[in-house]
Amino acid sequence: MTPTSPAPGTPTRRDFIRKAGALGGAATFGIGNPGAWAAGSDAPEKKEVKIGFIPLTDCASVVMASVLGFDKKYGVKIIPSKEASWAGVRDKLVNGELDMSHVLYGLIYGVHVGVGGPKKDMAVLMGLNRNGQAITLSKALADKGAVDGPSLAKVMAKEKREYTFAGTFPTSTHTMWLNYWLAASGISPVSDAKVIVVPPPQMVANMRVGNMDGFCVGEPWGQRAIIDKIGVTAITTQDIWKDHPEKVLGTRAEFVKANPNTCRAVMMAILEASKWIDASLQNKMKMADTVAEKSYINTSVDAINQRILGRYENGMGKTWDDPNHMKFFDDGAVNFPYLSDGMWFLTQHKRWGLIKEHPDYLAAAKQINQIDLYKEVAGAMKVSVPKDVMRTSKLMDGTVWDGKDPKKYADSFKVKA
């Protein structure tokens, strides 16, 4: 449904944005007065919004926006929908069973360009988190000395057999982190190993029965493998790329076009939840208690509440405090949908042969990432936005990614498909 033209004197979206900014953004709309948002043409077109999530720690901002009532504050009701796999999320997003989802950056980009699913114009509304994933190697491999990339390469060279690793989806962030890390150690994920797809909640069970030698997944499943003594942490993804983009709030382009006010309302609720999570230790602990419940992640709280504070152990006696642990807000830096972040995943899809020809990287990112919409929301909520829609990052192998020449970057790797 598209909003009709407002009657004379009805507040317009521009009026709303200006007023919200002048009055301090989110504080303008009291939880007890949801109608403060839903004025005239600014009313969300769809009041109930079904948002998919996979049982992972980084679904927390979607869950907490609903649990804490931030959604009602902005005139919508978020209905979190627990999904079994990323393939299921893809199908339900594409066919409209889900309005939005906590979703893999690379899944949205893959579907948009026609890989990893049926081609459909997609949209990234905002980032949900940075960092906080990990690559786990089996205890059996660790016992043979494979505890990081170089030592894994040595063990694989010495003991020839088929090695199997798991990502979460063909175009996923996790498969790209896994491939990048293997390649940086001289291991081709195409010719030297088999990379399979396993849904996140099934990773630990599959490693327990010997179906894989290693996996890359979001928390709490890396920590769960350590608690259950079946795996060790070889590397965290923030050590592959510090402050890397991870999950996003994704939807179809047509949904954004038909429901712009709904999108803004949901983004505000989730942005407020993101800020709330990062605000204090107490909030993080409450979040961990909540998302550990059966209706969300269904695991013990101890699998969640250490790594979200940056308290890591690798399963071999090493413990450390990591300042680059999972973040949900970080003064808005997490949530801004940088064009270069989305483009990076396409360069890796090309690198590993998922895309045969170079796409127009920048055009795709501009179509998918809803930067103008995000800036409106951030402006209304007094959340900082960066000056540039690109950012520069150095990855673990010293390679610098700035989004300026994606074709050259994608072709520059020695280890590729």
Side-chain angles (χ1 to χ4, degrees):
M1 167 179 157
T2 50
T4 53
S5 299
T10 303
T12 63
R13 191 187 77 210
R14 193 174 286 119
D15 294 335
F16 156 70
I17 297 292
R18 191 169 59 239
K19 190 167 70 174
L23 295 173
T28 315
F29 311 103
I31 288 173
N33 185 17
W37 157 274
S41 64
D42 294 327
E45 302 84 0
K46 201 173 192 309
K47 305 297 183 193
E48 289 196 349
V49 187
K50 192 174 180 185
I51 305 184
F53 73 91
I54 291 282
L56 292 161
T57 304
D58 51 32
C59 75
S61 55
V62 171
V63 170
M64 297 314 292
S66 168
V67 170
L68 297 172
F70 293 141
D71 53 351
K72 293 183 189 73
K73 181 170 171 177
Y74 298 107
V76 289
K77 183 181 182 186
I78 290 173
I79 301 168
S81 177
K82 186 174 179 174
E83 304 299 331
S85 69
W86 289 121
V89 166
R90 173 202 60 203
D91 294 345
K92 289 182 180 183
L93 263 184
V94 168
N95 70 23
E97 282 181 68
L98 292 172
D99 296 316
M100 302 177 183
S101 191
H102 151 255
V103 68
L104 300 157
Y105 222 134
L107 185 153
I108 294 290
Y109 268 69
V111 169
H112 189 87
V113 299
V115 293
K119 192 176 187 320
K120 183 90 174 174
D121 286 352
M122 301 298 282
V124 165
L125 297 174
M126 60 187 284
L128 295 179
N129 70 296
R130 277 182 176 178
N131 304 330
Q133 325 290 296
I135 293 175
T136 299
L137 294 175
S138 71
K139 202 80 170 60
L141 264 185
D143 290 343
K144 290 179 179 176
V147 295
D148 57 17
S151 56
L152 173 65
K154 280 183 191 164
V155 169
M156 286 175 70
K158 188 176 163 187
E159 194 179 307
K160 299 284 187 188
R161 63 173 175 84
E162 185 175 74
Y163 287 82
T164 302
F165 299 91
T168 60
F169 189 73
T171 60
S172 72
T173 47
H174 304 100
T175 302
M176 297 310 113
W177 309 139
L178 177 67
N179 287 1
Y180 202 98
W181 176 74
L182 288 168
S185 301
I187 303 164
S188 168
V190 179
S191 56
D192 300 331
K194 188 164 102 177
V195 177
I196 61 172
V197 168
V198 174
Q202 295 172 28
M203 287 290 192
V204 175
N206 273 275
M207 184 174 272
R208 186 179 285 113
V209 297
N211 285 348
M212 63 180 77
D213 296 290
F215 61 71
C216 183
V217 74
E219 294 303 337
W221 306 116
Q223 178 67 5
R224 185 80 257 164
I226 288 168
I227 292 170
D228 294 354
K229 297 187 164 39
I230 62 152
V232 302
T233 296
I235 192 169
T236 64
T237 52
Q238 54 264 34
D239 282 338
I240 296 173
W241 175 357
K242 183 189 161 193
D243 290 338
H244 67 77
E246 193 41 55
K247 305 302 183 303
V248 294
L249 183 63
T251 185
R252 301 174 303 287
E254 65 194 22
F255 185 86
V256 181
K257 194 175 177 185
N259 304 280
N261 296 339
T262 303
C263 289
R264 273 187 288 272
V266 171
M267 290 163 74
M268 286 181 158
I270 292 175
L271 203 51
E272 191 162 342
S274 305
K275 188 175 184 178
W276 179 89
I277 292 166
D278 275 9
S280 71
L281 181 71
Q282 187 182 3
N283 289 3
K284 286 191 179 79
M285 291 310 212
K286 184 178 176 184
M287 176 271 275
D289 286 342
T290 303
V291 299
E293 290 170 13
K294 192 174 181 180
S295 52
Y296 302 115
I297 299 176
N298 192 22
T299 192
S300 55
V301 180
D302 64 338
I304 299 172
N305 66 12
Q306 295 304 296
R307 289 192 171 189
I308 57 154
L309 303 175
R311 295 173 189 160
Y312 278 78
E313 57 177 321
N314 68 354
M316 296 172 285
K318 181 188 172 189
T319 60
W320 71 100
D321 286 327
D322 189 341
N324 304 312
H325 58 82
M326 189 183 291
K327 304 268 173 47
F328 292 88
F329 182 66
D330 198 16
D331 194 29
V334 170
N335 314 105
F336 186 81
Y338 288 95
L339 297 182
S340 53
D341 285 359
M343 289 161 66
W344 185 86
F345 292 104
L346 286 183
T347 69
Q348 300 307 296
H349 297 164
K350 175 66 177 72
R351 176 185 181 182
W352 301 117
L354 294 166
I355 302 171
K356 302 305 172 199
E357 303 296 328
H358 287 286
D360 187 332
Y361 295 93
L362 184 59
K366 283 179 174 176
Q367 285 165 2
I368 298 167
N369 289 23
Q370 304 295 303
I371 292 205
D372 290 344
L373 196 64
Y374 179 83
K375 282 181 174 175
E376 285 180 3
V377 167
M381 297 185 73
K382 301 280 193 190
V383 171
S384 307
V385 293
K387 288 189 179 75
D388 200 339
V389 294
M390 302 281 198
R391 64 183 179 122
T392 302
S393 309
K394 186 187 276 193
L395 278 74
M396 64 176 291
D397 55 359
T399 308
V400 172
W401 166 245
D402 58 14
K404 284 177 185 157
D405 194 341
K407 188 175 173 182
K408 183 181 175 186
Y409 178 85
D411 288 341
S412 70
F413 296 97
K414 273 190 267 186
V415 182
K416 56 189 171 187

